[in-house]
Amino acid sequence: REENDVDSDEEQYDEYEKYMMEQQKKYGGRGRTKEKYRKIPLKSIKLRCLFKLTSRSLCTIAKVCGSTLQDLSLQHNIMIEDDGIVAIADNCPNLQNIYLRDVRKITDESVIYLISKCKKLKKIDLRGCSKITDKTVIEISKNCKKIIYLNLSRCINITDASLQAI
């Protein structure tokens, strides 16, 4: 990545922070710092194909939406990494549906952590997540008792071991 790309991400995040602070003041909030977030009671967020959405922004979203978030779609967001998924896991315990199609930088570690923290998961879409292996699928089969939908299409590291675990 070039230095200009990093500066652009920082500027984009700072603009988001500025916007959120303005909205907070406009609608009766007390203002906030990066450590203090007003909760927004959204149940569903679709953030598909936002090619510049980073894990840093996802961490902010997780803190703002927190325990009310049940449905999250992050399909085709190429900049999201494991730390963004960990932030979702830590802040969104009532998550039921997560769509991570073609979020190619995430690994087994963050998805397994998500599964361990979000016990209400019913739908998981990992299509095209090329770093996901049998390890994740085996953990899903052990720990996601409410699962009704699992998409593993184009997960190139999935083998027969996963199918036997399911």
Side-chain angles (χ1 to χ4, degrees), residues 54-117:
T54 64
S55 290
R56 185 174 178 185
S57 295
L58 193 55
C59 292
T60 301
I61 291 165
K63 290 174 184 173
V64 169
C65 295
S67 63
T68 60
L69 191 62
Q70 296 175 6
D71 185 78
L72 179 61
S73 179
L74 298 170
Q75 297 175 31
H76 310 289
N77 288 304
I78 58 176
M79 300 299 290
I80 293 175
E81 298 179 7
D82 283 338
D83 55 336
I85 303 305
V86 167
I88 293 296
D90 285 338
N91 291 284
C92 306
N94 293 312
L95 195 64
Q96 295 178 20
N97 307 313
I98 189 157
Y99 302 93
L100 299 170
R101 178 180 293 187
D102 291 318
V103 180
R104 296 183 179 155
K105 291 185 178 183
I106 61 171
T107 65
D108 287 326
E109 285 73 26
S110 65
V111 177
I112 290 170
Y113 186 73
L114 177 79
I115 292 162
S116 74
K117 300 290 265 184

Side-chain angles (χ1 to χ4, degrees), residues 14-27 29-34 36:
D14 290 340
E15 285 296 314
Y16 175 77
E17 285 288 308
K18 183 179 174 184
Y19 170 77
M20 291 300 288
M21 288 172 70
E22 288 170 2
Q23 294 302 307
Q24 182 87 12
K25 289 176 186 174
K26 183 177 179 179
Y27 295 107
R30 290 181 247 137
R32 66 183 169 90
T33 65
K34 288 184 179 180
K36 189 174 183 178

